[in-house]
Amino acid sequence: MTAFPTTPRWIVLSDDALALEDIYFFLPAMSALRKEGTRVERFETRRWKFSPRLAQARLGGACLLIARTLGEEWIEMLEAHREQHGRICYLLDHDLVTAQPQEESERQARELQQRLLALADEVVVVSEQLQTALAGLHPKVSLLTPPLIGALPDLRHLDSQDWCIGFHGTLAHRDDIVALAPVLRDIQTRHDDTEVELMMGRHLPLALSDIPRLKSMEALGWEAFQDYCSRRRIAIGLAPLMADSVNHDMSWRRFLDITRMGGVGIYSRRAPYHELIENGVDGLLVGDDPAEWTAALERLLGDRDATRAMAHNAQHKAHEVGDPLRVLDFWRARSTMATYPM
């Protein structure tokens, strides 16, 4: 029988999902775990030429965290030497297994995810939608919702006459914001004290290009975006998630991003938002009809005192649901579990 160390040891096998690893593990938990005696490190698998001998020397006996995906050679090594490793947690923010792949690359990614599910002792998912989708595919699927990262602003920017309406989704959310193009065009035509900020840069869809006072900045990397959120102030944040969206696995991290920038969010009335947001109290929930989005924007722009009150309430909600100690406790519990395979 393989002997395992008694000191808890975590290695994150990183395969270019740095944001996911930072949000759900490193930022809320790493420092405290290390102070408590747990060894924690990140092994960036893409930076090293794969060597089975090196991998075994580095990983033997450690608990492993795998986020989203992993190179096939690493998966083959883990499959061949599963008994030499400790507990394996698979952190997941997208479900490929139950989706129907359209291209060869999607089929290959789906197969890798299936193999990682089979390797894992526990699958950690970031949304209730994923928890439901994967419940029948693995015996232990645990929900870990996102923590609040960074401080919240003082909201003095909401006293200004000029307000910013922000949408900071990636290109994966392109179709969701394009659906609101007529809404934003109408609002910007009738209100001269607002600007719209997107983060699509040179990839700005043509349907959005003629919106008055539109600023489209280039997308930022993970660390740069966190710095931007700490400095940028918006009044209203948009979180559209239309019926035909490809983003229905997403967590409610967008709520925390909007709140960190000092805004009140307008959210699609569906998961993950409809159980988090109290409509009219800490944000607004709307359907897919553009008229509802227009009415919501007019409501926030027209009653600024009420909007400021919602922004304060959103901050209270963010502190409540995004408490980093909850995430620390989650990983602390797993650090004290047996460090050998189940």
Side-chain angles (χ1 to χ4, degrees):
M1 178 180 293
T2 303
F4 291 94
T6 57
T7 300
R9 180 171 166 238
W10 279 98
I11 295 179
V12 177
L13 287 180
S14 181
D15 188 77
D16 206 31
L18 300 183
L20 188 63
E21 297 161 5
D22 282 350
I23 292 169
Y24 291 92
F25 184 77
F26 283 107
L27 292 177
M30 181 183 68
S31 294
L33 290 177
R34 283 179 170 173
K35 288 179 180 178
E36 294 167 3
T38 299
R39 295 174 57 188
V40 179
E41 62 180 298
R42 174 186 266 149
F43 190 93
E44 297 187 30
T45 60
R46 294 193 182 193
R47 293 185 57 189
W48 303 91
K49 182 177 180 180
F50 178 72
S51 164
R53 180 174 297 180
L54 171 63
Q56 287 302 103
R58 290 288 298 273
L59 307 183
C63 296
L64 305 179
L65 176 61
I66 301 167
R68 192 179 296 152
T69 190
L70 192 63
E72 186 171 12
E73 68 273 21
W74 287 89
I75 296 176
E76 290 176 350
M77 183 273 295
L78 293 175
E79 290 171 335
H81 304 282
R82 179 63 186 88
E83 75 284 352
Q84 297 181 27
H85 305 290
R87 185 177 188 80
I88 297 180
C89 288
Y90 183 23
L91 178 60
L92 197 54
D93 62 346
H94 291 292
D95 168 27
L96 301 177
V97 173
T98 62
Q100 294 300 319
Q102 303 297 317
E103 300 179 3
E104 178 62 19
S105 60
E106 294 176 345
R107 184 188 65 79
Q108 293 174 348
R110 183 174 185 264
E111 291 179 354
L112 292 180
Q113 189 173 92
Q114 288 174 317
R115 292 168 68 180
L116 287 169
L117 286 170
L119 272 169
D121 298 301
E122 181 175 10
V123 179
V124 181
V125 296
V126 303
S127 70
E128 292 181 351
Q129 307 94 277
L130 277 173
Q131 187 179 34
T132 299
L134 298 175
L137 301 177
H138 195 277
K140 188 170 180 57
V141 179
S142 301
L143 174 64
L144 182 62
T145 51
L148 177 64
I149 298 172
L152 296 177
D154 58 20
L155 302 181
R156 285 182 295 179
H157 64 287
L158 295 180
D159 294 330
S160 169
Q161 289 299 310
D162 298 323
W163 276 13
C164 177
I165 302 169
F167 173 81
H168 298 95
T170 65
L171 284 176
H173 301 267
R174 176 186 184 278
D175 292 342
D176 290 319
I177 191 60
V178 165
L180 299 184
V183 173
L184 295 174
R185 193 177 300 112
D186 179 42
I187 289 291
Q188 291 299 95
T189 299
R190 290 187 286 108
H191 293 266
D192 59 8
D193 56 356
T194 58
E195 70 169 354
V196 173
E197 179 174 274
L198 308 180
M199 199 169 272
M200 295 189 171
R202 73 198 78 175
H203 302 291
L204 180 72
L206 183 61
L208 298 165
S209 61
D210 62 346
I211 294 174
R213 298 179 309 286
L214 172 71
K215 175 185 177 183
S216 181
M217 58 185 295
E218 293 295 332
L220 299 174
W222 158 241
E223 292 184 355
F225 180 66
Q226 294 310 301
D227 179 64
Y228 187 77
C229 284
S230 71
R231 294 181 289 104
R232 184 60 167 121
R233 298 294 173 260
I234 64 174
I236 300 170
L238 303 176
L241 188 61
M242 301 305 176
D244 57 354
S245 176
V246 299
N247 299 299
H248 283 208
D249 288 343
M250 67 184 295
S251 73
W252 36 256
R253 206 173 80 207
R254 184 69 55 79
F255 163 72
L256 297 176
D257 287 341
I258 291 171
T259 307
R260 278 187 65 199
M261 289 188 275
V264 174
I266 305 176
Y267 304 90
S268 287
R269 191 185 291 109
R270 54 172 50 95
Y273 304 120
H274 69 319
E275 293 185 355
L276 172 70
I277 302 301
E278 188 175 354
N279 188 41
V281 176
D282 45 35
L284 296 179
L285 293 169
V286 296
D288 293 348
D289 187 341
E292 293 191 42
W293 287 86
T294 299
L297 280 163
E298 290 288 7
R299 177 177 175 180
L300 295 179
L301 293 171
D303 188 347
R304 297 197 173 195
D305 287 339
T307 301
R308 293 184 190 96
M310 283 190 222
H312 282 285
N313 292 336
Q315 290 196 342
H316 288 300
K317 174 70 68 68
H319 279 299
E320 176 187 346
V321 302
D323 186 355
L325 290 178
R326 170 181 50 81
V327 182
L328 170 60
D329 287 342
F330 181 93
W331 294 112
R332 180 184 283 138
R334 281 140 187 86
S335 297
T336 59
M337 291 178 179
T339 56
Y340 48 82
M342 301 175 76

